[in-house]
Amino acid sequence: MIFSPSPKHLVVFLIAALSLFTAPSISSEKSEIKNLLNKLDSHYYYPQKKGLTSISAKLTWEQQSTSVKNTFFFKKPDFRFKGELSDHIFEKKIVSSGRNPNVSDNENTEYINILNNYLDAFIPKTLYEQFLNYEGQIKYRQKKGIILELTSKTSIQKTKQYELFIDGEKWRISKIHVRQNHEPRSIKGKFFYTRRGDQWVVAETLSEFTVNNQTYIEKTEYTYINLRNFWLVKKIKQTVKQDGHLIRSYRIQLNDYKVNLEN
């Protein structure tokens, strides 16, 4: 899930409620958080946990022009999305399609850097995998909700801290607050879901962040396709607005899927 390609939200919790719990030892809390992430993962749909070992797809994308009033999308160069399961980790990358002779090396690199932001949207990392190098604490717990704080163990992580707001009845993350070492330093987000294969997949995310005192709203929508009994992302639409004005909009689509070394 992921939830990269990405998560967000601000927290308010009751100090009095925390006094109801006996502080666990470090080792027992670490085990409890591991079990919590694994339980969440069991309620999310991951193709790699359903037998997906390799994937390749044609990636087409369009960017909306923001200089005209009429909605107009212009096509960007095609690429390929590839992924392969290696030592229990699904490695993903964007590669050239070999069909863009008029695109310079610098432009090619720039486009790949943009599309790399969506790798975890195409095939999400498990929550346990994503937070393997984070330390955590459960800040608040009730039957209907849990607040889990996860802080990076290393200084090289760009994202310093996550705060996950967990729906304890449906077992999914409803909101998130991300704190980073770079702009935007604080991101608040909400997740909206649908079910595929009787498990949760993200249908839409809504994020809010501030850069240079300007507030931005980012909306990302996901469409899925069933292929050889795998539910895979078919289409992503993302918009970023500032004070109601469109700043950026992408439409990304994956076609001609080949899965599990399909010829």
Side-chain angles (χ1 to χ4, degrees):
M1 190 242 54
I2 253 1
F3 253 38
S4 260
S6 7
K8 313 148 187 186
H9 164 125
L10 185 60
V11 66
V12 177
F13 65 95
L14 300 175
I15 299 297
L18 295 178
S19 65
L20 299 176
F21 298 93
T22 302
S25 67
I26 293 175
S27 59
S28 65
E29 186 169 46
K30 183 178 180 180
S31 176
E32 186 177 13
I33 290 169
K34 177 181 176 181
N35 291 337
L36 178 58
L37 292 175
N38 283 332
K39 184 168 184 178
L40 278 168
D41 276 334
S42 72
H43 287 79
Y44 281 91
Y45 182 89
Y46 298 106
Q48 64 269 43
K49 287 187 170 290
K50 303 296 182 180
L52 183 71
T53 58
S54 67
I55 191 168
S56 176
K58 178 182 178 182
L59 188 157
T60 59
W61 57 312
E62 300 171 305
Q63 182 174 357
Q64 184 174 350
S65 172
T66 58
S67 62
V68 294
K69 292 184 178 180
N70 295 328
T71 301
F72 173 75
F73 282 85
F74 54 94
K75 192 176 184 303
K76 309 287 277 186
D78 295 347
F79 286 87
R80 290 202 68 82
F81 165 65
K82 291 189 174 184
E84 187 172 359
L85 191 64
S86 175
D87 195 23
H88 306 292
I89 302 296
F90 210 90
E91 304 288 349
K92 296 155 288 189
K93 61 183 178 181
I94 304 295
V95 298
S96 174
S97 68
R99 300 176 181 175
N100 305 316
N102 297 324
V103 177
S104 69
D105 290 344
N106 287 340
E107 288 176 315
N108 196 64
T109 299
E110 178 186 351
Y111 292 146
I112 288 177
N113 287 338
I114 292 172
L115 293 170
N116 280 340
N117 293 314
Y118 298 91
L119 288 175
D120 289 339
F122 300 145
I123 303 288
K125 292 180 181 177
T126 67
L127 293 170
Y128 181 71
E129 179 187 345
Q130 182 173 346
F131 294 116
L132 193 60
N133 292 316
Y134 285 76
E135 297 175 327
Q137 62 171 321
I138 296 173
K139 298 183 66 174
Y140 177 73
R141 181 196 290 275
Q142 280 190 343
K143 182 178 180 180
K144 293 185 178 182
I146 300 167
I147 298 175
L148 174 61
E149 183 181 87
L150 295 157
T151 304
S152 172
K153 295 179 185 178
T154 65
S155 60
I156 62 173
Q157 293 281 0
K158 290 183 179 181
T159 301
K160 183 178 180 181
Q161 188 178 80
Y162 290 87
E163 219 157 21
L164 309 182
F165 295 75
I166 299 166
D167 183 330
E169 292 186 317
K170 296 183 177 179
W171 284 102
R172 62 191 193 183
I173 298 168
S174 57
K175 295 182 288 187
I176 195 167
H177 183 199
V178 183
R179 297 180 180 91
Q180 304 183 133
N181 293 326
H182 58 90
E183 294 288 356
R185 295 187 177 276
S186 176
I187 308 168
K188 305 173 187 178
K190 297 180 181 179
F191 295 92
F192 304 92
Y193 295 88
T194 188
R195 293 184 76 82
R196 294 289 183 269
D198 202 33
Q199 292 175 302
W200 299 119
V201 295
V202 176
E204 181 182 313
T205 63
L206 196 63
S207 307
E208 180 178 322
F209 54 92
T210 301
V211 178
N212 296 329
N213 296 319
Q214 301 290 323
T215 299
Y216 297 85
I217 303 294
E218 178 185 278
K219 180 180 179 180
T220 308
E221 301 169 273
Y222 300 82
T223 303
Y224 295 83
I225 185 175
N226 187 273
L227 180 65
R228 290 182 55 181
N229 294 322
F230 295 116
W231 284 104
L232 303 170
V233 171
K234 171 71 172 176
K235 193 181 300 183
I236 295 175
K237 181 180 179 181
Q238 185 178 71
T239 59
V240 179
K241 294 183 178 181
Q242 189 264 316
D243 290 335
H245 300 291
L246 184 67
I247 302 298
R248 186 182 71 236
S249 179
Y250 288 127
R251 295 192 305 202
I252 303 171
Q253 187 161 326
L254 296 175
N255 294 297
D256 301 330
Y257 271 108
K258 299 182 186 302
V259 299
N260 291 356
L261 300 178
E262 189 180 76
N263 293 322

